[in-house]
Amino acid sequence: MSKRPRAESDAVEPGAFRCGHVAIVGRPNVGKSTLINALVGARISITSRKAQTTRHRVLGILTRQDAQFIFVDTPGFQTEHRSPLNERLNRAVRSSLAGVDVVVVVVEASRLGPADRAVLALIPAGVPVVAAVNKVDRLADRAAVLPFLAELAAVREFAAIVPISAEKSWQLDTLLAAIAKLLPIGDAEHPEDELTDRDERFLAAEYIREKIFRLLGAEVPYATTVGIDSFEHKAGLRRIHATIYVDKTSQRAMLLGEHGERMKSIASSARRDMEQLFGGKVFLEVWVKVKSGWADDERMLTQFGY
Ligand SMILES: Nc1nc2c(ncn2[C@@H]2O[C@H](COP(=O)(O)OP(=O)(O)OP(=O)(O)O)[C@@H](O)[C@H]2O)c(=O)[nH]1
Ligand SMILES: [Mg+2]
């Protein structure tokens, strides 16, 4: 990625611009992707109420006058279920932690379980860690967070502990201020209008996967992956052909729904999101195919980009 030379006029003070990589880690479902989207100001990482929505390492880039924050969203660190797919997701978490300047560990207000402690134990020594205590909007009594903050502070050293609500965008400036101090001085690595390292093809597949996570029950989302067969951008229109792969024929039927109604709503809601993010019309065609055992097959996992 090319470096953008900084203009004299917007420099805060000579040499004071900061830029660094900030890994966002935490157990599944704590709100990491909601947080990165709120920080960047765009839906670059998919979210849902189900654990383990994120399966890829995704960069979210925020450029301000004084700093560029390169956030790294990661899959939720899984401690309960062992499978070839989960092994790959955990590997992605571990490798995202290597070489970052700051780690933001997201925990849920008032809950510090073994899964949170497992994530804390992964963080390499010598990297400053900021704790984002998320979902404080759920607490009936705000003061209830105080003993939790004390409990957290006793677990390890934190550069800062900040109670936030990613969903309501509460206290995100405080969180950013705490992170900014820890970034090294240096030039921006990405152009200032760049929001993510991922291309439209990747985001298109992710938006389809998000709708499946949001619209279907407990089984199908975990048995599903999405591939983009073709992506053509001509005269302002994006024509996208995608295939959803499931593990079993019964899951295909669940995805399609009666008379294909469910599939229609998945596709049209994914298409609307794409049109908003890409800023143009999208034609989307989605097929559903059965590919048994894809999540347990190392070769297929690689083929699907995990
Ligand atoms: N009430 C409340 N809900 C939140 C907040 N942040 C996230 N959530 C919800 O928590 C759920 C999980 O959010 P995600 O952002 O997908 O969580 P994640 O940590 O990225 O999850 P994985 O990718 O599965 O590890 C979603 O239903 C969010 O809407 C918050 O500040 N307050
Ligand atoms: Mg996520």
PDB file of all heavy atoms in Angstrom, residues 27-34 47-54 75-76 134-135 137-138 165-167, ligand 1:
ATOM      1  N   ARG A  27     -13.144 -12.966  23.670  1.00  0.00           N
ATOM      2  CA  ARG A  27     -13.878 -14.220  23.439  1.00  0.00           C
ATOM      3  C   ARG A  27     -15.006 -13.949  22.435  1.00  0.00           C
ATOM      4  O   ARG A  27     -15.327 -12.781  22.167  1.00  0.00           O
ATOM      5  CB  ARG A  27     -14.389 -14.788  24.762  1.00  0.00           C
ATOM      6  CG  ARG A  27     -15.428 -13.937  25.435  1.00  0.00           C
ATOM      7  CD  ARG A  27     -16.174 -14.709  26.512  1.00  0.00           C
ATOM      8  NE  ARG A  27     -17.063 -13.838  27.221  1.00  0.00           N
ATOM      9  CZ  ARG A  27     -18.261 -13.434  26.778  1.00  0.00           C
ATOM     10  NH1 ARG A  27     -18.706 -13.832  25.606  1.00  0.00           N
ATOM     11  NH2 ARG A  27     -19.001 -12.626  27.508  1.00  0.00           N
ATOM     12  N   PRO A  28     -15.622 -15.010  21.882  1.00  0.00           N
ATOM     13  CA  PRO A  28     -16.690 -14.787  20.902  1.00  0.00           C
ATOM     14  C   PRO A  28     -17.831 -13.928  21.476  1.00  0.00           C
ATOM     15  O   PRO A  28     -18.134 -14.005  22.672  1.00  0.00           O
ATOM     16  CB  PRO A  28     -17.194 -16.203  20.599  1.00  0.00           C
ATOM     17  CG  PRO A  28     -16.041 -17.099  20.906  1.00  0.00           C
ATOM     18  CD  PRO A  28     -15.323 -16.446  22.051  1.00  0.00           C
ATOM     19  N   ASN A  29     -18.389 -13.077  20.613  1.00  0.00           N
ATOM     20  CA  ASN A  29     -19.636 -12.378  20.926  1.00  0.00           C
ATOM     21  C   ASN A  29     -19.556 -11.193  21.898  1.00  0.00           C
ATOM     22  O   ASN A  29     -20.579 -10.690  22.346  1.00  0.00           O
ATOM     23  CB  ASN A  29     -20.667 -13.392  21.459  1.00  0.00           C
ATOM     24  CG  ASN A  29     -22.069 -13.014  21.089  1.00  0.00           C
ATOM     25  OD1 ASN A  29     -22.309 -12.518  19.990  1.00  0.00           O
ATOM     26  ND2 ASN A  29     -22.992 -13.194  22.002  1.00  0.00           N
ATOM     27  N   VAL A  30     -18.360 -10.733  22.227  1.00  0.00           N
ATOM     28  CA  VAL A  30     -18.256  -9.610  23.171  1.00  0.00           C
ATOM     29  C   VAL A  30     -18.491  -8.256  22.507  1.00  0.00           C
ATOM     30  O   VAL A  30     -18.647  -7.238  23.194  1.00  0.00           O
ATOM     31  CB  VAL A  30     -16.884  -9.574  23.888  1.00  0.00           C
ATOM     32  CG1 VAL A  30     -16.795 -10.652  24.939  1.00  0.00           C
ATOM     33  CG2 VAL A  30     -15.736  -9.657  22.910  1.00  0.00           C
ATOM     34  N   GLY A  31     -18.472  -8.237  21.148  1.00  0.00           N
ATOM     35  CA  GLY A  31     -18.713  -6.968  20.452  1.00  0.00           C
ATOM     36  C   GLY A  31     -17.498  -6.382  19.753  1.00  0.00           C
ATOM     37  O   GLY A  31     -17.454  -5.179  19.486  1.00  0.00           O
ATOM     38  N   LYS A  32     -16.537  -7.225  19.399  1.00  0.00           N
ATOM     39  CA  LYS A  32     -15.313  -6.734  18.742  1.00  0.00           C
ATOM     40  C   LYS A  32     -15.616  -6.087  17.389  1.00  0.00           C
ATOM     41  O   LYS A  32     -15.125  -5.009  17.078  1.00  0.00           O
ATOM     42  CB  LYS A  32     -14.322  -7.901  18.523  1.00  0.00           C
ATOM     43  CG  LYS A  32     -13.883  -8.573  19.800  1.00  0.00           C
ATOM     44  CD  LYS A  32     -12.993  -9.770  19.546  1.00  0.00           C
ATOM     45  CE  LYS A  32     -13.686 -10.928  18.850  1.00  0.00           C
ATOM     46  NZ  LYS A  32     -14.786 -11.529  19.609  1.00  0.00           N
ATOM     47  N   SER A  33     -16.439  -6.773  16.587  1.00  0.00           N
ATOM     48  CA  SER A  33     -16.713  -6.261  15.235  1.00  0.00           C
ATOM     49  C   SER A  33     -17.615  -5.026  15.292  1.00  0.00           C
ATOM     50  O   SER A  33     -17.433  -4.084  14.522  1.00  0.00           O
ATOM     51  CB  SER A  33     -17.347  -7.350  14.377  1.00  0.00           C
ATOM     52  OG  SER A  33     -16.493  -8.482  14.325  1.00  0.00           O
ATOM     53  N   THR A  34     -18.562  -5.032  16.224  1.00  0.00           N
ATOM     54  CA  THR A  34     -19.403  -3.836  16.418  1.00  0.00           C
ATOM     55  C   THR A  34     -18.507  -2.653  16.776  1.00  0.00           C
ATOM     56  O   THR A  34     -18.706  -1.533  16.291  1.00  0.00           O
ATOM     57  CB  THR A  34     -20.418  -4.082  17.558  1.00  0.00           C
ATOM     58  OG1 THR A  34     -21.140  -5.285  17.268  1.00  0.00           O
ATOM     59  CG2 THR A  34     -21.396  -2.933  17.702  1.00  0.00           C
ATOM     60  N   THR A  47     -21.485  -8.562  11.877  1.00  0.00           N
ATOM     61  CA  THR A  47     -21.816  -8.783  13.289  1.00  0.00           C
ATOM     62  C   THR A  47     -23.134  -9.556  13.390  1.00  0.00           C
ATOM     63  O   THR A  47     -23.976  -9.479  12.484  1.00  0.00           O
ATOM     64  CB  THR A  47     -22.023  -7.444  14.035  1.00  0.00           C
ATOM     65  OG1 THR A  47     -23.180  -6.790  13.500  1.00  0.00           O
ATOM     66  CG2 THR A  47     -20.836  -6.531  13.899  1.00  0.00           C
ATOM     67  N   SER A  48     -23.305 -10.281  14.485  1.00  0.00           N
ATOM     68  CA  SER A  48     -24.595 -10.916  14.741  1.00  0.00           C
ATOM     69  C   SER A  48     -24.667 -11.300  16.203  1.00  0.00           C
ATOM     70  O   SER A  48     -23.671 -11.228  16.926  1.00  0.00           O
ATOM     71  CB  SER A  48     -24.783 -12.168  13.875  1.00  0.00           C
ATOM     72  OG  SER A  48     -24.221 -13.296  14.518  1.00  0.00           O
ATOM     73  N   ARG A  49     -25.846 -11.736  16.625  1.00  0.00           N
ATOM     74  CA  ARG A  49     -26.014 -12.146  18.020  1.00  0.00           C
ATOM     75  C   ARG A  49     -25.380 -13.497  18.287  1.00  0.00           C
ATOM     76  O   ARG A  49     -25.273 -13.909  19.430  1.00  0.00           O
ATOM     77  CB  ARG A  49     -27.508 -12.243  18.342  1.00  0.00           C
ATOM     78  CG  ARG A  49     -28.168 -10.874  18.353  1.00  0.00           C
ATOM     79  CD  ARG A  49     -29.633 -11.025  18.198  1.00  0.00           C
ATOM     80  NE  ARG A  49     -30.218 -11.431  19.470  1.00  0.00           N
ATOM     81  CZ  ARG A  49     -31.406 -11.065  19.882  1.00  0.00           C
ATOM     82  NH1 ARG A  49     -32.150 -10.299  19.104  1.00  0.00           N
ATOM     83  NH2 ARG A  49     -31.878 -11.462  21.022  1.00  0.00           N
ATOM     84  N   LYS A  50     -24.999 -14.208  17.222  1.00  0.00           N
ATOM     85  CA  LYS A  50     -24.411 -15.542  17.419  1.00  0.00           C
ATOM     86  C   LYS A  50     -22.899 -15.438  17.591  1.00  0.00           C
ATOM     87  O   LYS A  50     -22.253 -14.611  16.955  1.00  0.00           O
ATOM     88  CB  LYS A  50     -24.719 -16.416  16.212  1.00  0.00           C
ATOM     89  CG  LYS A  50     -26.196 -16.684  16.055  1.00  0.00           C
ATOM     90  CD  LYS A  50     -26.426 -17.740  14.993  1.00  0.00           C
ATOM     91  CE  LYS A  50     -27.900 -18.042  14.850  1.00  0.00           C
ATOM     92  NZ  LYS A  50     -28.661 -16.907  14.274  1.00  0.00           N
ATOM     93  N   ALA A  51     -22.378 -16.310  18.457  1.00  0.00           N
ATOM     94  CA  ALA A  51     -20.939 -16.337  18.671  1.00  0.00           C
ATOM     95  C   ALA A  51     -20.243 -16.818  17.406  1.00  0.00           C
ATOM     96  O   ALA A  51     -20.808 -17.593  16.633  1.00  0.00           O
ATOM     97  CB  ALA A  51     -20.611 -17.254  19.833  1.00  0.00           C
ATOM     98  N   GLN A  52     -19.012 -16.372  17.231  1.00  0.00           N
ATOM     99  CA  GLN A  52     -18.181 -16.798  16.109  1.00  0.00           C
ATOM    100  C   GLN A  52     -18.697 -16.392  14.743  1.00  0.00           C
ATOM    101  O   GLN A  52     -18.675 -17.176  13.784  1.00  0.00           O
ATOM    102  CB  GLN A  52     -17.999 -18.310  16.145  1.00  0.00           C
ATOM    103  CG  GLN A  52     -17.087 -18.699  17.291  1.00  0.00           C
ATOM    104  CD  GLN A  52     -16.339 -19.946  16.978  1.00  0.00           C
ATOM    105  OE1 GLN A  52     -16.937 -21.009  17.023  1.00  0.00           O
ATOM    106  NE2 GLN A  52     -15.073 -19.840  16.662  1.00  0.00           N
ATOM    107  N   THR A  53     -19.144 -15.164  14.675  1.00  0.00           N
ATOM    108  CA  THR A  53     -19.572 -14.604  13.398  1.00  0.00           C
ATOM    109  C   THR A  53     -18.343 -14.304  12.534  1.00  0.00           C
ATOM    110  O   THR A  53     -18.304 -14.633  11.348  1.00  0.00           O
ATOM    111  CB  THR A  53     -20.363 -13.304  13.652  1.00  0.00           C
ATOM    112  OG1 THR A  53     -21.424 -13.592  14.558  1.00  0.00           O
ATOM    113  CG2 THR A  53     -20.923 -12.736  12.369  1.00  0.00           C
ATOM    114  N   THR A  54     -17.353 -13.667  13.139  1.00  0.00           N
ATOM    115  CA  THR A  54     -16.146 -13.292  12.387  1.00  0.00           C
ATOM    116  C   THR A  54     -15.257 -14.514  12.180  1.00  0.00           C
ATOM    117  O   THR A  54     -14.966 -15.235  13.134  1.00  0.00           O
ATOM    118  CB  THR A  54     -15.358 -12.213  13.170  1.00  0.00           C
ATOM    119  OG1 THR A  54     -16.231 -11.113  13.410  1.00  0.00           O
ATOM    120  CG2 THR A  54     -14.146 -11.736  12.380  1.00  0.00           C
ATOM    121  N   PRO A  75     -11.315 -13.168  14.818  1.00  0.00           N
ATOM    122  CA  PRO A  75     -12.391 -14.058  15.268  1.00  0.00           C
ATOM    123  C   PRO A  75     -12.373 -14.160  16.797  1.00  0.00           C
ATOM    124  O   PRO A  75     -11.342 -13.933  17.423  1.00  0.00           O
ATOM    125  CB  PRO A  75     -11.998 -15.406  14.650  1.00  0.00           C
ATOM    126  CG  PRO A  75     -11.063 -15.080  13.526  1.00  0.00           C
ATOM    127  CD  PRO A  75     -10.331 -13.853  13.958  1.00  0.00           C
ATOM    128  N   GLY A  76     -13.509 -14.481  17.377  1.00  0.00           N
ATOM    129  CA  GLY A  76     -13.564 -14.707  18.823  1.00  0.00           C
ATOM    130  C   GLY A  76     -12.698 -15.905  19.170  1.00  0.00           C
ATOM    131  O   GLY A  76     -12.743 -16.920  18.465  1.00  0.00           O
ATOM    132  N   ASN A 134     -17.170  -3.572  27.449  1.00  0.00           N
ATOM    133  CA  ASN A 134     -18.264  -3.244  26.518  1.00  0.00           C
ATOM    134  C   ASN A 134     -19.658  -3.547  27.079  1.00  0.00           C
ATOM    135  O   ASN A 134     -19.795  -4.240  28.077  1.00  0.00           O
ATOM    136  CB  ASN A 134     -18.036  -4.037  25.217  1.00  0.00           C
ATOM    137  CG  ASN A 134     -18.885  -3.526  24.079  1.00  0.00           C
ATOM    138  OD1 ASN A 134     -19.289  -2.362  24.053  1.00  0.00           O
ATOM    139  ND2 ASN A 134     -19.189  -4.396  23.127  1.00  0.00           N
ATOM    140  N   LYS A 135     -20.652  -3.034  26.381  1.00  0.00           N
ATOM    141  CA  LYS A 135     -22.073  -3.279  26.674  1.00  0.00           C
ATOM    142  C   LYS A 135     -22.507  -2.685  28.007  1.00  0.00           C
ATOM    143  O   LYS A 135     -23.384  -3.224  28.681  1.00  0.00           O
ATOM    144  CB  LYS A 135     -22.410  -4.784  26.610  1.00  0.00           C
ATOM    145  CG  LYS A 135     -21.939  -5.466  25.307  1.00  0.00           C
ATOM    146  CD  LYS A 135     -22.569  -6.823  25.087  1.00  0.00           C
ATOM    147  CE  LYS A 135     -21.950  -7.520  23.865  1.00  0.00           C
ATOM    148  NZ  LYS A 135     -22.512  -8.817  23.569  1.00  0.00           N
ATOM    149  N   ASP A 137     -24.212  -0.226  28.352  1.00  0.00           N
ATOM    150  CA  ASP A 137     -25.610   0.230  28.200  1.00  0.00           C
ATOM    151  C   ASP A 137     -26.595  -0.777  28.759  1.00  0.00           C
ATOM    152  O   ASP A 137     -27.737  -0.445  29.064  1.00  0.00           O
ATOM    153  CB  ASP A 137     -25.908   0.491  26.711  1.00  0.00           C
ATOM    154  CG  ASP A 137     -25.661  -0.733  25.851  1.00  0.00           C
ATOM    155  OD1 ASP A 137     -24.489  -1.140  25.693  1.00  0.00           O
ATOM    156  OD2 ASP A 137     -26.624  -1.323  25.358  1.00  0.00           O
ATOM    157  N   ARG A 138     -26.156  -2.019  28.919  1.00  0.00           N
ATOM    158  CA  ARG A 138     -27.046  -3.059  29.448  1.00  0.00           C
ATOM    159  C   ARG A 138     -27.189  -3.015  30.963  1.00  0.00           C
ATOM    160  O   ARG A 138     -28.066  -3.673  31.520  1.00  0.00           O
ATOM    161  CB  ARG A 138     -26.488  -4.428  29.089  1.00  0.00           C
ATOM    162  CG  ARG A 138     -26.785  -4.826  27.683  1.00  0.00           C
ATOM    163  CD  ARG A 138     -26.630  -6.313  27.607  1.00  0.00           C
ATOM    164  NE  ARG A 138     -26.784  -6.774  26.250  1.00  0.00           N
ATOM    165  CZ  ARG A 138     -26.292  -7.917  25.808  1.00  0.00           C
ATOM    166  NH1 ARG A 138     -25.602  -8.690  26.615  1.00  0.00           N
ATOM    167  NH2 ARG A 138     -26.506  -8.289  24.587  1.00  0.00           N
ATOM    168  N   SER A 165     -19.813   1.532  25.293  1.00  0.00           N
ATOM    169  CA  SER A 165     -20.855   0.796  24.595  1.00  0.00           C
ATOM    170  C   SER A 165     -20.561   0.951  23.103  1.00  0.00           C
ATOM    171  O   SER A 165     -20.692   2.050  22.554  1.00  0.00           O
ATOM    172  CB  SER A 165     -22.252   1.337  24.911  1.00  0.00           C
ATOM    173  OG  SER A 165     -23.169   0.778  23.975  1.00  0.00           O
ATOM    174  N   ALA A 166     -20.142  -0.149  22.474  1.00  0.00           N
ATOM    175  CA  ALA A 166     -19.813  -0.101  21.039  1.00  0.00           C
ATOM    176  C   ALA A 166     -21.086   0.183  20.246  1.00  0.00           C
ATOM    177  O   ALA A 166     -21.085   0.934  19.280  1.00  0.00           O
ATOM    178  CB  ALA A 166     -19.194  -1.419  20.601  1.00  0.00           C
ATOM    179  N   GLU A 167     -22.200  -0.415  20.704  1.00  0.00           N
ATOM    180  CA  GLU A 167     -23.446  -0.265  19.970  1.00  0.00           C
ATOM    181  C   GLU A 167     -23.971   1.165  20.014  1.00  0.00           C
ATOM    182  O   GLU A 167     -24.512   1.670  19.039  1.00  0.00           O
ATOM    183  CB  GLU A 167     -24.483  -1.224  20.546  1.00  0.00           C
ATOM    184  CG  GLU A 167     -25.598  -1.506  19.586  1.00  0.00           C
ATOM    185  CD  GLU A 167     -26.324  -2.777  19.973  1.00  0.00           C
ATOM    186  OE1 GLU A 167     -27.228  -2.714  20.828  1.00  0.00           O
ATOM    187  OE2 GLU A 167     -25.949  -3.832  19.444  1.00  0.00           O
TER     188      GLU A 167
HETATM  189  N1  LIG B   1     -26.239  -4.012  24.250  1.00  0.00           N
HETATM  190  C1  LIG B   1     -25.132  -4.019  23.548  1.00  0.00           C
HETATM  191  N2  LIG B   1     -24.937  -4.986  22.626  1.00  0.00           N
HETATM  192  C2  LIG B   1     -23.776  -4.972  21.935  1.00  0.00           C
HETATM  193  C3  LIG B   1     -22.775  -3.984  22.129  1.00  0.00           C
HETATM  194  N3  LIG B   1     -21.750  -4.262  21.288  1.00  0.00           N
HETATM  195  C4  LIG B   1     -22.096  -5.363  20.603  1.00  0.00           C
HETATM  196  N4  LIG B   1     -23.314  -5.798  20.976  1.00  0.00           N
HETATM  197  C5  LIG B   1     -24.069  -6.955  20.441  1.00  0.00           C
HETATM  198  O1  LIG B   1     -23.338  -8.135  20.733  1.00  0.00           O
HETATM  199  C6  LIG B   1     -23.513  -9.105  19.697  1.00  0.00           C
HETATM  200  C7  LIG B   1     -22.164  -9.567  19.194  1.00  0.00           C
HETATM  201  O2  LIG B   1     -21.529  -8.506  18.540  1.00  0.00           O
HETATM  202  P1  LIG B   1     -20.317  -8.738  17.531  1.00  0.00           P
HETATM  203  O3  LIG B   1     -19.734  -7.402  17.235  1.00  0.00           O
HETATM  204  O4  LIG B   1     -20.721  -9.595  16.388  1.00  0.00           O
HETATM  205  O5  LIG B   1     -19.319  -9.549  18.487  1.00  0.00           O
HETATM  206  P2  LIG B   1     -17.890 -10.182  18.155  1.00  0.00           P
HETATM  207  O6  LIG B   1     -17.081 -10.074  19.389  1.00  0.00           O
HETATM  208  O7  LIG B   1     -17.327  -9.573  16.935  1.00  0.00           O
HETATM  209  O8  LIG B   1     -18.305 -11.682  17.920  1.00  0.00           O
HETATM  210  P3  LIG B   1     -17.495 -12.847  17.110  1.00  0.00           P
HETATM  211  O9  LIG B   1     -17.064 -12.303  15.802  1.00  0.00           O
HETATM  212  O10 LIG B   1     -18.536 -13.891  16.968  1.00  0.00           O
HETATM  213  O11 LIG B   1     -16.368 -13.237  18.000  1.00  0.00           O
HETATM  214  C8  LIG B   1     -24.350  -8.419  18.623  1.00  0.00           C
HETATM  215  O12 LIG B   1     -25.697  -8.806  18.797  1.00  0.00           O
HETATM  216  C9  LIG B   1     -24.155  -6.945  18.928  1.00  0.00           C
HETATM  217  O13 LIG B   1     -25.250  -6.146  18.500  1.00  0.00           O
HETATM  218  C10 LIG B   1     -23.041  -2.960  23.100  1.00  0.00           C
HETATM  219  O14 LIG B   1     -22.243  -2.062  23.348  1.00  0.00           O
HETATM  220  N5  LIG B   1     -24.221  -3.048  23.767  1.00  0.00           N
END
